[in-house]
Amino acid sequence: MSKTAVIYWSGTGNTEAMAQAVFDGAKEVNPETELFTVSEISAEDAAGYDTLIMGCPAMGAETLEESEFEPFFTELEGSISGKNIALFGSYGWGDGEWMRSWEERVSAAGAKLVCGSVIANDAPDDDAVAQCAELGKTAASA
């Protein structure tokens, strides 16, 4: 079983709710999965995991959160080649451009996106929560 971490940033609680569903799904297939807010783990420590499931909402002009998550991901980016990655997050406007850009960065860094990303407009509804649990199961099984 791969060493798996769920790492997220949430400002309003929407991405946090998604992260909990992802974590619950991942724990079903990999009981060793760990859950962290981005402030609880360094990029260096995150690089020690085989599978990284990361969540961040869209901010500003559809970008990753700039004060904590973007610096974390920028530092981590050079260490994800060959790793299994899954992404999720919430947004309040736009069409998901921030997620497509993030997926492109992950792929360009040589990591493997193990499943489709999950995005939720504002608070995740029951369908989004179920999708998050499935994302967790799929990623933690990779």
Side-chain angles (χ1 to χ4, degrees), residues 76-85 106 108-112:
L76 179 65
E77 212 165 352
S79 304
I80 62 173
S81 182
K83 294 194 182 296
N84 296 320
I85 305 284
V106 165
K112 177 185 175 191

Side-chain angles (χ1 to χ4, degrees), residues 4-139:
T4 302
V6 178
I7 304 166
Y8 73 95
W9 185 91
S10 186
T12 63
N14 294 338
T15 302
E16 181 177 15
M18 296 175 78
Q20 189 60 57
V22 167
F23 179 64
D24 291 345
K27 289 279 284 186
E28 284 185 37
V29 297
N30 184 349
E32 303 301 314
T33 300
E34 297 181 79
L35 176 67
F36 302 96
T37 64
V38 72
S39 63
E40 295 173 329
I41 188 168
S42 68
E44 181 180 346
D45 288 343
Y49 288 81
D50 306 304
T51 300
L52 296 168
I53 309 171
M54 295 181 282
C56 185
M59 304 294 285
E62 289 210 61
T63 61
L64 295 173
E65 188 278 326
E66 296 173 331
S67 66
E68 286 186 75
F69 201 90
E70 178 61 45
F72 165 81
F73 186 72
T74 298
E75 186 178 343
L76 179 65
E77 212 165 352
S79 304
I80 62 173
S81 182
K83 294 194 182 296
N84 296 320
I85 305 284
L87 305 174
F88 65 94
S90 60
Y91 65 102
W93 60 91
D95 69 353
E97 179 184 347
W98 105 100
M99 185 59 72
R100 292 189 299 275
S101 298
W102 194 10
E103 290 168 341
E104 289 171 9
R105 287 175 68 184
V106 165
S107 295
K112 177 185 175 191
L113 286 166
V114 296
C115 58
S117 301
V118 175
I119 61 175
N121 190 333
D122 294 321
D125 59 15
D126 290 344
D127 185 49
V129 169
Q131 289 177 34
C132 285
E134 279 304 310
L135 179 143
K137 288 178 191 175
T138 300

